[in-house]
Amino acid sequence: MSRERYLVCPNFCPEAEAMRQAIDQHFAEPDRHQAHLHQVWNYWYVPDLYTYLRTEPEKVIPKPLVDAFQQRLQAWCAQYLGLTEVTRPWLSLYVAGCGQGLHNDSRNGRWAYVFSLTRWDQRQFQGGETLVMKDEVGRPNPRLIEAHAGSSFYDLVPSHFNQLVVFDDRVIHGVRPLQGTMDPREGRLVMHGHIREGGIFAQGALSREALVPVLQEMGQYLERCVTTYGPYYHGLLSLRLQVGSQGRVERIHILTDRILEVDRNCKPATEVSAAICEVFKHLSFPQANGPTYITVPVSLGMPLP
Ligand SMILES: [Fe+2]
């Protein structure tokens, strides 16, 4: 079970080294660069917010490698977050002076992903970490009565090579301004995008047809959840129901629980999550010749556009 606002997965992708070599090759021999291959970078400057260079990764990295990364990421998101919609990544480059101001991406997805192709351990620059603000910042909280500063309010997540970081898109975040190098191969290089729910999905013995009546029942219950809890809570609870061959829910795995109280006077969000699980525990499925795993993203509050 995870209520963490961000997750870190090291050694994510076997294609990382090949992708990185393609980037190094792209920037090698600058006196031989050609317009159609190299004039592909968008200098993205939004005053007080974004300063970095970005492109579509397949303009720099062979498409089969980018596709392999995307497939791996989609499988990881389905397995660990219970979510199936993953945007195509941007490839972004940060050299001296680049960074991201504080913002959130509440309307862009449930989670953001950042996959690093930065040679972090050999870096000659300062900054470049992903800053992820703590959930309680900006809310009335007894902890804030005490004096705090700097990293008491946020975590700085290093961009280690071949590391995937996902964080709740609602959380205030940024990239610490980078100083120390103008060489693109020495800078911060990341692929990034957003993740959201694509609906309920099932794996295992029960056929799609056999699941239809129970999925309809679940859909009606989820609608009631939105009506009951939606005004007071916001976020996504991602569940995986383990259904035995006799049709009973044998176990509920909470993949992630990012339901937060909209109002501090509400009962704790964990009680809402527990109440939702309690209902799912009593669902009855048809019998089958083996187990079935049903992944259910439960969304409360304003839906994504
Ligand atoms: Fe962002």
Side-chain angles (χ1 to χ4, degrees):
M1 168 179 175
S2 173
R3 284 189 59 79
E4 299 298 325
R5 71 198 192 287
Y6 71 92
L7 307 168
V8 178
C9 179
N11 301 316
F12 180 71
C13 185
E15 291 81 15
E17 192 58 49
M19 288 197 280
R20 177 64 219 211
Q21 282 176 19
I23 292 170
D24 288 341
Q25 205 175 340
H26 173 84
F27 286 116
E29 300 188 273
D31 51 334
R32 294 185 177 207
H33 283 187
Q34 299 169 52
H36 72 288
L37 293 176
H38 293 89
Q39 291 179 6
V40 298
W41 291 93
N42 165 210
Y43 171 48
W44 201 38
Y45 176 66
V46 179
D48 301 323
L49 190 53
Y50 301 122
T51 306
Y52 58 94
L53 296 117
R54 62 180 185 168
T55 188
E56 293 167 330
E58 48 268 41
K59 290 181 176 167
V60 177
I61 298 168
K63 188 170 179 297
L65 293 175
V66 181
D67 290 344
F69 164 76
Q70 176 103 17
Q71 282 167 19
R72 184 171 297 277
L73 180 60
Q74 278 172 330
W76 187 92
C77 290
Q79 176 72 20
Y80 296 105
L81 304 179
L83 305 182
T84 50
E85 299 285 318
V86 180
T87 64
R88 196 77 181 161
W90 288 98
L91 173 64
S92 291
L93 165 64
Y94 298 69
V95 291
C98 292
Q100 283 192 21
L102 295 177
H103 67 285
N104 70 17
D105 289 296
S106 296
R107 309 302 286 154
N108 290 335
R110 296 293 179 186
W111 297 84
Y113 72 85
V114 181
F115 172 67
S116 177
L117 291 168
T118 311
R119 299 284 190 202
W120 187 260
D121 292 341
Q122 293 93 53
R123 72 193 185 284
Q124 299 294 318
F125 59 78
Q126 298 83 48
E129 302 92 345
T130 305
L131 184 155
V132 186
M133 205 67 83
K134 294 186 175 171
D135 279 335
E136 68 267 28
V137 171
R139 294 168 169 230
N141 187 302
R143 212 177 68 81
L144 297 178
I145 294 168
E146 301 296 327
H148 292 281
S151 60
S152 183
F153 298 117
Y154 52 77
D155 287 335
L156 291 175
V157 185
S159 303
H160 288 295
F161 184 73
N162 198 14
Q163 170 188 272
L164 176 74
V165 176
V166 297
F167 56 86
D168 186 325
D169 254 328
R170 297 168 301 176
V171 170
I172 299 165
H173 61 275
V175 175
R176 275 230 297 168
L178 190 143
Q179 294 299 334
T181 186
M182 292 295 284
D183 183 338
R185 288 171 298 183
E186 303 293 330
R188 177 187 194 259
L189 280 151
V190 293
M191 298 212 296
H192 56 103
H194 298 279
I195 304 158
R196 63 169 67 192
E197 66 272 30
I200 299 171
F201 62 95
Q203 299 152 297
L206 279 169
S207 69
R208 214 176 168 75
E209 296 71 43
L211 282 168
V212 167
V214 197
L215 292 185
Q216 281 175 347
E217 193 184 334
M218 286 167 80
Q220 287 163 3
Y221 174 64
L222 291 175
E223 279 176 26
R224 286 204 298 277
C225 283
V226 170
T227 310
T228 309
Y229 302 119
Y232 314 105
Y233 299 89
H234 184 274
L236 194 83
L237 169 68
S238 197
L239 305 174
R240 181 160 296 140
L241 279 50
Q242 183 180 325
V243 179
S245 54
Q246 296 303 306
R248 282 192 296 274
V249 177
E250 293 178 341
R251 199 173 160 197
I252 296 182
H253 305 263
I254 299 179
L255 301 178
T256 63
D257 181 356
R258 287 296 299 163
I259 293 181
L260 301 176
E261 304 89 3
V262 172
D263 185 327
R264 295 296 289 184
N265 297 320
C266 297
K267 64 182 178 182
T270 47
E271 291 183 24
V272 171
S273 304
I276 293 170
C277 287
E278 188 60 30
V279 171
F280 281 118
K281 208 186 286 178
H282 298 291
L283 286 171
S284 181
F285 290 80
Q287 293 187 358
N289 57 6
T292 303
Y293 296 88
I294 299 164
T295 305
V296 190
V298 181
S299 160
L300 297 185
M302 188 164 60
L304 290 172

